[in-house]
Amino acid sequence: METLDRPAVRKLMGEVLAVQGKTLPADDTAKLADIGFRSLDFSELALRVEDEIGDELNFEAAGLRSIETIADVLDLLVEIQEQ
């Protein structure tokens, strides 16, 4: 399975936000609530990652991890690909 690295996932995240006229901050510690990144946006991002890697992500392995910042999203999506 092909995997996307953190910068590639970040680029896709920026594209998801751009569709809504929002900009992805350079600071990965920015809180998702502050930039308007919602759970629906996370789902859209996950689908884009799946399209790029040509495989489904296994979110069951991720458990109920708390996602509050851009870094949390990037870390989670990179981690899931590696499982």
Side-chain angles (χ1 to χ4, degrees), residues 28-49:
D28 283 355
T29 63
K31 295 209 177 271
L32 299 177
D34 293 342
I35 63 171
F37 192 82
R38 306 161 295 157
S39 59
L40 186 59
D41 299 325
F42 182 84
S43 297
E44 173 66 25
L45 176 58
L47 289 173
R48 287 180 183 226
V49 170

Side-chain angles (χ1 to χ4, degrees), residues 16-31:
V16 169
L17 286 171
V19 168
Q20 302 170 38
K22 300 174 186 171
T23 303
L24 181 63
D27 181 6
D28 283 355
T29 63
K31 295 209 177 271

Side-chain angles (χ1 to χ4, degrees), residues 1-13 42 45-62 65 71-83:
M1 173 176 90
E2 179 183 343
T3 60
L4 296 181
D5 61 11
R6 190 180 173 94
V9 175
R10 192 177 207 295
K11 180 179 178 230
L12 291 175
M13 188 176 189
F42 182 84
L45 176 58
L47 289 173
R48 287 180 183 226
V49 170
E50 288 178 342
D51 284 347
E52 289 291 323
I53 65 174
D55 200 0
E56 289 186 27
L57 298 173
N58 181 3
F59 285 97
E60 291 179 22
R65 183 176 174 168
D72 293 338
V73 171
L74 300 176
D75 290 344
L76 177 61
L77 288 175
V78 169
E79 178 184 312
I80 289 173
Q81 291 178 77
E82 295 172 350
Q83 295 175 354

